[in-house]
Amino acid sequence: MTVSQDTYRLTSPDGSEMELPVRSGTVGPDVIDIARLYRDHGVFTYDPGFVATGSCESDITFIDGEKGVLMYRGYPVEQLAEHSSFIEVAYLLLNSELPTEAELSEFDNTIRMHTMLNEGMLNFFKGFRYDAHPMAMLSAVVGSMSAYYHDEIDATNRGHRNIFSHRILAKLPTIAAAAYKLNIGQPFIYPRNDLNYCENLLHMLFAVPAEPYEIDPIAAEALDLLFILHADHEQNCSTSTVRMAGSSGANPYSAIAAGVSALWGPAHGGANEAVLDMLEEIGDVSQIGKYVDKAKDKNDPFRLMGFGHRVYKNFDPRATIIREMCHKVMKQLDRKDTPVFDLALELEQVALKDDYFIEKNLYPNVDFYSGIIYRALGIPTSMFTVMFALGRSVGWAAHWREMISDPKGKIARPRQLYTGPAARDYTPVEKR
Ligand code: SDX
């Protein structure tokens, strides 16, 4: 394959030549446009898991896995983590630009005004088993939103696209808190419009009717930072699921529900829950070597949860920021359960010095430390992936809007390499 100015030239096995156009983005690797490859040359490309395949153009988020770069609409996540808020980052992801003071105030007020659920939706929680996994409930109730807001899901209508985004951002915390209250047998707590996004979530999670609940500002600050860091991440599994489901014209609430389901997997957003389960299984620093060896053993399915990433091959910038916040939260909350944090720090040090992890570029990812903070805030392990979904909800909404607004958009329909039986005739049952 040779590369001229703006084309790749391929020579096929029969000696015929084909030219494939090259396209460049603002930053990041060029792409080879293969859209006409099958039509002009009768071949597909093959890339299980889409390791090196771009599915779309996007202006929203950029990651450089080699340099540990993550930018939302061009703003480095480190700067947003230091100076911004989740609501402001949500505005940025949905509207492409940082808001003016007036725009931010209006957006914040709009979100506060949409935090209540249709009262009928609360009946779902009367039907779930008390010990249903909160991700199962989140997926089900988010999917049911298309049964309540069906009069405003015309994807071609800008107003409908906006109200959908606002409802997803505003109502998911209320649904998440309702799931948690069912799990612990406490009454549902209604949202309050006088509280900001994270204060309201803490209130709905931990307040009880029997006494006043005082919100810990450190907890609210920690949640706000975690939501900023989880807000978006290019074409990750769950976001690609939202885009694919939405590409058929399915309503946006159903597309988001599909994203919630994809996030639940332990290889993706379910990893933060799996990290805490893994740390509890390891139990003690003395056992770290045994589990690192298990992770390296090809015959052992055990993987070090919270390590490795499809894109980041040096470090996940989010993990760096979250690790620092872990130290702060543990100290400021005067936590006594630091053993699990100390175990995580030691496990990270052992793994980072191990040749296997060095050779395979396996570093802590966003999920390695986030669960430790959630647990320090009193949030149970079963709710960790739900918390991930709350942050990522605005990224899903932003990508759905970008996909549905693309004038060149088409239904996502990958091809395959068929390895099944060649054509054969039906055999009557008496002859089998
Ligand atoms: C998220 O895509 C995103 O952006 C996701 C995310 C987001 O914000 O949306 O960043 C959130 O999902 C973070 C990842 C959370 N998942 C985990 O922590 C689960 C543990 N990690 C692995 O399952 C794995 O690292 C993945 C799924 C994250 C990445 O897998 P890849 O890119 O498909 O890489 P791979 O599985 O091919 O691994 C490459 C090699 C393999 O060994 P070889 O086949 O080359 O011999 O590294 C090994 C793997 O066996 N490996 C691990 C490992 N992760 C990869 N070995 C031990 N422990 C691990 N954690």
Side-chain angles (χ1 to χ4, degrees):
M1 179 186 281
T2 55
V3 183
S4 70
Q5 169 99 31
D6 56 2
T7 60
Y8 271 73
R9 190 167 294 112
L10 273 174
T11 306
S12 67
D14 67 8
S16 61
E17 295 228 323
M18 58 181 94
E19 285 201 348
L20 296 172
V22 173
R23 298 186 58 202
S24 302
T26 315
V27 285
D30 287 346
V31 297
I32 301 173
D33 185 336
I34 58 166
R36 297 164 57 106
L37 184 65
Y38 178 64
R39 196 182 72 179
D40 295 355
H41 302 284
V43 289
F44 296 147
T45 59
Y46 180 69
D47 182 15
F50 312 115
V51 176
T53 295
S55 60
C56 64
E57 282 183 35
S58 181
D59 303 342
I60 300 172
T61 292
F62 175 75
I63 301 170
D64 182 326
E66 305 309 319
K67 299 187 183 116
V69 168
L70 170 57
M71 302 192 301
Y72 295 155
R73 303 284 189 185
Y75 294 98
V77 76
E78 293 83 356
Q79 293 185 27
L80 294 170
E82 186 177 351
H83 302 297
S84 189
S85 67
F86 176 61
I87 283 295
E88 184 177 74
V89 165
Y91 182 97
L92 170 67
L93 288 169
L94 291 172
N95 299 288
S96 308
E97 299 297 335
L98 286 169
T100 63
E101 207 163 336
E103 287 166 336
L104 180 58
S105 172
E106 182 189 1
F107 181 72
D108 180 70
N109 188 55
T110 299
I111 298 306
R112 290 174 191 239
M113 293 302 140
H114 284 86
T115 50
M116 282 179 68
L117 305 180
N118 180 300
E119 200 68 7
M121 290 172 82
L122 295 178
N123 292 326
F124 286 115
F125 294 96
K126 295 188 176 76
F128 293 127
R129 265 178 60 118
Y130 77 93
D131 58 351
H133 195 290
M135 280 299 282
M137 293 189 263
L138 183 69
S139 169
V141 180
V142 168
S144 80
M145 290 173 78
S146 52
Y148 289 88
Y149 306 113
H150 43 67
D151 53 346
E152 291 178 297
I153 49 175
D154 172 0
T156 63
N157 180 313
R158 183 183 173 80
H160 289 194
R161 293 201 296 267
N162 283 337
I163 185 70
F164 145 73
S165 312
H166 299 156
R167 281 176 173 145
I168 285 293
L169 186 56
K171 294 182 194 299
L172 258 63
T174 312
I175 296 170
Y180 174 60
K181 287 303 199 185
L182 175 78
N183 282 159
I184 60 174
Q186 287 186 0
F188 169 72
I189 297 295
Y190 284 90
R192 278 176 38 187
N193 294 346
D194 61 318
L195 299 176
N196 71 32
Y197 192 86
C198 292
E199 292 167 343
N200 211 1
L201 175 59
L202 288 166
H203 163 74
M204 293 188 287
L205 286 171
F206 298 123
V208 289
E211 58 185 33
Y213 171 70
E214 190 179 336
I215 292 158
D216 183 331
I218 298 163
E221 180 194 345
L223 278 185
D224 198 74
L225 180 55
L226 285 167
F227 288 153
I228 290 172
L229 297 174
H230 285 80
D232 194 47
H233 216 239
E234 283 190 4
Q235 305 307 321
N236 60 85
C237 178
S238 55
T239 299
S240 296
T241 301
V242 170
R243 291 182 81 117
M244 180 170 261
S247 73
S248 74
N251 77 78
Y253 299 103
S254 300
I256 298 293
V260 172
S261 300
L263 185 75
W264 195 2
H268 189 15
N272 54 17
E273 178 175 350
V275 166
L276 259 292
D277 293 342
M278 173 189 73
L279 290 172
E280 281 165 4
E281 185 183 337
I282 294 173
D284 181 83
V285 173
S286 64
Q287 298 300 304
I288 286 178
K290 171 185 150 194
Y291 281 88
V292 167
D293 290 342
K294 277 170 65 69
K296 292 155 58 176
D297 179 356
K298 278 282 151 253
N299 301 316
D300 190 326
F302 175 80
R303 284 195 163 180
L304 223 43
M305 301 315 283
F307 267 78
H309 198 275
R310 171 64 57 78
V311 177
Y312 292 122
K313 297 306 176 189
N314 275 316
F315 65 97
D316 182 336
R318 303 167 297 177
T320 307
I321 298 169
I322 293 176
R323 187 200 306 117
E324 292 321 307
M325 187 170 59
C326 258
H327 283 292
K328 183 179 172 185
V329 165
M330 286 300 174
K331 195 158 52 180
Q332 289 180 324
L333 291 184
D334 190 25
R335 294 295 307 183
K336 298 291 179 280
D337 62 346
T338 53
V340 73
F341 182 37
D342 298 339
L343 180 60
L345 289 169
E346 181 60 24
L347 174 59
E348 177 186 13
Q349 290 314 307
V350 170
L352 292 183
K353 294 187 181 83
D354 186 288
D355 290 343
Y356 173 92
F357 288 85
I358 295 168
E359 280 156 26
K360 294 185 185 297
N361 300 312
L362 301 176
Y363 295 83
N365 58 47
V366 67
D367 293 304
F368 188 64
Y369 286 105
S370 55
I372 293 167
I373 294 178
Y374 290 137
R375 190 161 105 157
L377 302 183
I379 294 166
T381 308
S382 61
M383 284 287 290
F384 288 3
T385 309
V386 171
M387 302 302 283
F388 193 143
L390 299 189
R392 187 53 54 87
S393 62
V394 69
W396 291 333
H399 280 274
W400 178 83
R401 286 158 58 122
E402 182 176 74
M403 177 278 301
I404 209 73
S405 310
D406 179 356
K408 302 193 304 293
K410 53 176 70 175
I411 187 170
R413 202 271 186 223
R415 303 306 299 267
Q416 64 173 15
L417 176 68
Y418 177 67
T419 55
R424 53 183 171 164
D425 296 327
Y426 180 80
T427 311
V429 66
E430 61 274 9
K431 290 188 177 173
R432 289 177 203 158

